[in-house]
Amino acid sequence: MLGATRSLLPGMIGVWLACIATFAQDAIKTQPGKTLTVGFSQIGAESAWRTAETESMRSEAAKRGVNLKFSDAQQKQENQIKAIRAFIAQKVDAIILAPVVETGWEPVLREARKAGIPVVLVDRGVKVSDESLYATLIASDFVEEGRLAARWLAEKLSGQGNIVELQGTPGSAPALDRKKGFEEVLAEHPGLKIIKSQSGDFTRAKGKEVMEAFLKAEGKNIQAVYAHNDDMALGAIQAIEAAGLAPGKDILLVSIDGVRAAFEAMIAGKLNCTVECNPLLGPPAFDAVEKIVAGQTLPKWIKVTDQVFDQSVAPDVIESRKY
Ligand code: GZL
């Protein structure tokens, strides 16, 4: 009996180790000093924010000597899923994912876990039934960003006015949460009303197009624009000017991201306020990857801090902006 058990022992240990690897994916260990190969599935290049994030990831990987396999999904989830499967086939040490939308990730994340490859989420979160499918999320608090935007606007409008909303990509965490936070504060101000709301997909062109439609439908009935990102606000500014109105004066604009062009628009008096959403996620992302492959466990959410900038401070801070 003992002989038989002894002969089964190596197999049993193998199964036991595989189980540990499966259920504790954030405790994967690789040899110290080995060059890390990391797959990064990026959403696309839809905004200045996204470009800044990509630059931060690429430059940080180069600085750390990480072999980065980069994939631009052009805003399509199916392309991100294909890229993740390719990274799994290439047996990368870790995967970094900026998920374009919140849902639809469970199957491919299970494939990554089965392959023993940790997944770090950056910039946007996912909805999954089992949070152990990703090691950590490095992102801002989009609900708080929405609250900050609404509080600033409520004060500026003295609690009275009609607002049109340019939403981000449908189903994306920032679009859902920035709307949620904004409406949470608006509920405290019955004199403020969102009279039109539509997606501009986080792009300048679409933001301009949707704002043109809002102006046609509501004309001088609009006191303010709430844009889920600066790029759509900059498009809305173009539409407001084309309609013969003064952006920043006839119609106030508050947006989110804090990209350089937003500071330039605030200095020009055309944008009133932007809530920063820091895109320089390269350093914290690769810190997380290095800790995970060294066997450490990380918090499920590493929160990036943000702050509000308006026209009153824009001239003083623009030179210090890093993106
Ligand atoms: C936020 C990020 C959003 C930015 C947009 O973390 O996902 O996507 O706010 C970008 O500019 O397109």
Side-chain angles (χ1 to χ4, degrees), residues 46-47 49-50 123-124 142 174 178 202 229 257 277:
E46 75 282 2
S47 62
W49 188 99
R50 183 70 47 201
D123 149 30
R124 296 183 184 181
F142 302 132
R178 285 170 182 170
F202 285 131
N229 82 331
D257 276 351
C277 173

Side-chain angles (χ1 to χ4, degrees), residues 53-227:
E53 183 192 48
T54 293
E55 175 47 37
S56 175
M57 300 292 281
R58 284 184 184 278
S59 57
E60 193 63 21
K63 195 169 129 193
R64 297 183 188 217
V66 168
N67 172 23
L68 186 70
K69 293 178 179 295
F70 178 83
S71 160
D72 174 334
Q74 284 151 17
Q75 310 291 318
K76 293 185 174 62
Q77 180 176 32
E78 64 265 29
N79 290 345
Q80 290 199 284
I81 291 170
K82 276 189 204 130
I84 293 169
R85 288 193 167 123
F87 296 150
I88 293 170
Q90 292 154 20
K91 299 187 179 354
V92 298
D93 296 303
I95 290 169
I96 298 175
L97 169 65
V100 59
V101 291
E102 284 192 329
T103 55
W105 300 101
E106 235 165 286
V108 76
L109 291 178
R110 288 189 186 284
E111 292 166 32
R113 181 167 68 180
K114 191 161 179 285
I117 300 174
V119 176
V120 170
L121 302 179
V122 289
D123 149 30
R124 296 183 184 181
V126 297
K127 288 269 185 277
V128 288
S129 63
D130 174 358
E131 283 203 333
S132 72
L133 285 170
Y134 64 90
T136 189
L137 162 66
I138 301 164
S140 292
D141 181 343
F142 302 132
V143 177
E144 182 58 15
E145 291 172 344
R147 293 189 193 106
L148 290 168
R151 284 188 200 119
W152 184 90
L153 195 56
E155 191 183 335
K156 193 77 181 174
L157 287 174
S158 307
Q160 292 294 329
N162 293 324
I163 301 161
V164 293
E165 180 183 28
L166 294 168
Q167 294 185 43
T169 302
S172 69
L176 294 165
D177 289 352
R178 285 170 182 170
K179 182 168 191 53
K180 183 175 168 203
F182 192 85
E183 290 178 345
E184 195 183 283
V185 170
L186 238 55
E188 301 159 14
H189 300 276
L192 291 174
K193 192 163 169 281
I194 295 177
I195 56 172
K196 287 274 183 204
S197 181
Q198 192 179 327
S199 174
D201 215 11
F202 285 131
T203 69
R204 190 181 289 214
K206 196 83 168 66
K208 181 181 180 207
E209 184 191 310
V210 173
M211 189 65 202
E212 285 164 352
F214 286 170
L215 287 161
K216 276 201 191 82
E218 291 294 341
K220 296 201 176 4
N221 196 20
I222 300 169
Q223 278 73 54
V225 178
Y226 168 48

